[in-house]
Amino acid sequence: MHDGEQDLGRRSLGCVLGRNPGGGSPSLSCVVMVDESAFTGVARLRLGLHVLVVVLALIVLLRAVLLSEASVGWIGPLTAVFVVVHIVGASTLRAPVARFAWLGALCAVWVAMALLGADAAYVSFGLILLFMTEVPLIPAVSAVSVITLLNTVIAVQTRGQWGGALVGSMLGAVVGVVVGLGFRVLFRETERRQQLIEDLHRTRAELAETERTAGELAERERLAREIHDTVAQGLSSIQMLLHAAETEDLPTGAADKIVLARRTASAGLADARRLIAALSPADLAGNSLVDALDRVCDRAAGGQCTIGLLVEGQAVSLPMPVESALVRLLQGAVSNVVRHAEARNAVVTLSYGADAVHLDVVDDGHGFDTAILADPSAHHFGLNAMRTRVEQLGGRWSIESEPGHTAMSVAFPLTQQEEESR
């Protein structure tokens, strides 16, 4: 009874169902739009980052070779070690302690390269990016500060220029931190959107299963009503007519045939009633209507919501379609109470009156705006299904809601019950 109570919720649900919130035919466009969006996977983004770090390390080696630095014979193997350690750690290490050790090993190789005279500022920039993306923010900033200090000290020792070394190191650190923060935000946003896509897929599958089940139940009930209103009623009428014909003064042969025909009609009627019972809700199998409603309430109650059943008046025999409809309506109503209303208490009342049977479901949940029932663009499938089911059986359905109180009422007339229930 609390279906689609929030506009945002309706639009989100419409998106999952692929319905146009403004109307129109259903489609899967909304989910497909999310699926085909240009959001890059986190793994691919991280791969790009690691490739960038490897390229920066190779630039150091390339500069050493092009500038014919004296220590190029050592810089080459150290660069190879850096690349191998980086690739192995990035692809295999997942535990936080292991990743800290991995980054520490990379820093040790970087320090060795810098002390040998290589222009290792490129490598330090890559290390800053790795710390900013691979470890928590506070340890990352601390590591960046240490890297910047070491970068400055090593540059002063190898080149003897305080000013240029300090400015270059600080500028590289600032740029590295900004870029690293950008990567962190991008990773987090991409993970969030990937989770959203997974949730949408899961919700779409759940909704598809729910609608399939609802369709099956609706078709079973339709068949039960059709069999009851056509085959069963016809066989019942034939049986009554043949029974009346037995009292007439008929020839012996004709009377025997009429008795046989009546018994055949009676057997067919019993088969039709068994078929109707098989197509009816499982809760009604071998149970009275009150027992079936009580079982529905017991299953739905739990957690913070308490659901009680009250029965008023003298119970009378109801047609199977009406009993089936009452069970299905209560299932939908208490499901809404538990899932959407956030109610703590609910009361279900089955009342047998002089001319009608009433089913009322009242809860103390947060309620919803009943104006959505008149809005064709609002998706309230459950409420529409309830109303349609009641109207098809000639009943009355109403609902009222406000914060702290929501009440659904259903009434079916008790006219000619004896004839209809046969």
Side-chain angles (χ1 to χ4, degrees), residues 82-400:
F82 183 91
V83 172
V84 171
V85 172
H86 175 264
I87 293 175
V88 172
S91 59
T92 61
L93 300 179
R94 293 293 179 268
V97 175
R99 294 190 80 80
F100 271 111
W102 165 60
L103 291 172
L106 290 177
C107 289
V109 177
W110 159 68
V111 170
M113 294 170 66
L115 290 175
L116 287 173
D119 189 4
Y122 294 98
V123 176
S124 66
F125 183 79
L127 289 173
I128 291 174
L129 294 180
L130 289 177
F131 273 104
M132 292 301 300
T133 55
E134 299 294 334
V135 300
L137 186 58
I138 294 178
V141 173
S142 301
V144 169
S145 301
V146 174
I147 291 174
T148 303
L149 178 60
L150 289 175
N151 223 2
T152 303
V153 172
I154 293 173
V156 170
Q157 288 182 351
T158 56
R159 294 177 178 81
Q161 298 178 352
W162 276 97
L166 182 59
V167 172
S169 299
M170 293 294 296
L171 182 60
V174 171
V175 174
V177 168
V178 172
V179 175
L181 289 175
F183 269 107
R184 291 177 72 99
V185 173
L186 188 58
F187 288 162
R188 185 169 58 251
E189 182 67 12
T190 303
E191 290 174 346
R192 189 186 69 82
R193 292 185 181 274
Q194 285 183 329
Q195 183 62 44
L196 174 62
I197 292 173
E198 294 174 1
D199 291 343
L200 287 175
H201 278 300
R202 184 168 54 255
T203 303
R204 182 177 64 175
E206 292 175 355
L207 288 173
E209 178 63 22
T210 300
E211 289 192 340
R212 184 187 66 81
T213 302
E216 289 180 354
L217 294 176
E219 182 63 15
R220 288 165 61 92
E221 292 185 14
R222 187 189 69 80
L223 289 175
R225 288 197 302 270
E226 292 295 329
I227 294 173
H228 176 272
D229 295 340
T230 57
V231 178
Q233 293 285 27
L235 290 173
S236 179
S237 298
I238 292 172
Q239 184 183 19
M240 293 176 61
L241 291 173
L242 292 174
H243 183 73
E246 289 182 33
T247 62
E248 301 291 336
D249 187 12
L250 298 174
T252 303
D256 292 340
K257 290 182 175 61
I258 288 177
V259 171
L260 178 61
R262 181 180 62 79
R263 290 175 179 174
T264 302
S266 177
L269 179 59
D271 289 338
R273 285 174 173 169
R274 281 193 292 270
L275 182 57
I276 292 172
L279 292 172
S280 299
D283 289 312
L284 281 171
N287 297 300
S288 67
L289 174 61
V290 174
D291 292 335
L293 297 182
D294 189 49
R295 291 174 63 179
V296 172
C297 293
D298 288 341
R299 280 200 308 270
Q304 296 183 347
C305 185
T306 301
I307 302 177
L309 174 65
L310 299 178
V311 180
E312 299 177 349
Q314 181 64 39
V316 298
S317 177
L318 298 174
M320 180 61 70
V322 173
E323 289 190 349
S324 177
L326 289 172
V327 174
R328 295 299 187 202
L329 290 167
L330 182 60
Q331 287 174 339
V334 297
S335 175
N336 285 338
V337 169
V338 173
R339 291 188 300 153
H340 303 300
E342 298 181 2
R344 299 185 63 85
N345 299 282
V347 177
V348 178
T349 305
L350 177 66
S351 304
Y352 293 94
D355 57 355
V357 58
H358 298 266
L359 179 68
D360 300 288
V361 182
V362 181
D363 69 80
D364 59 359
H366 52 59
F368 71 103
D369 185 5
T370 56
I372 66 170
L373 298 175
D375 182 3
S377 66
H379 301 290
H380 38 80
F381 176 79
L383 297 178
N384 278 337
M386 290 182 187
R387 177 164 50 191
T388 301
R389 188 191 303 273
V390 174
E391 292 175 350
Q392 287 176 343
L393 294 175
R396 300 186 306 275
W397 179 88
S398 64
I399 191 168
E400 60 182 30

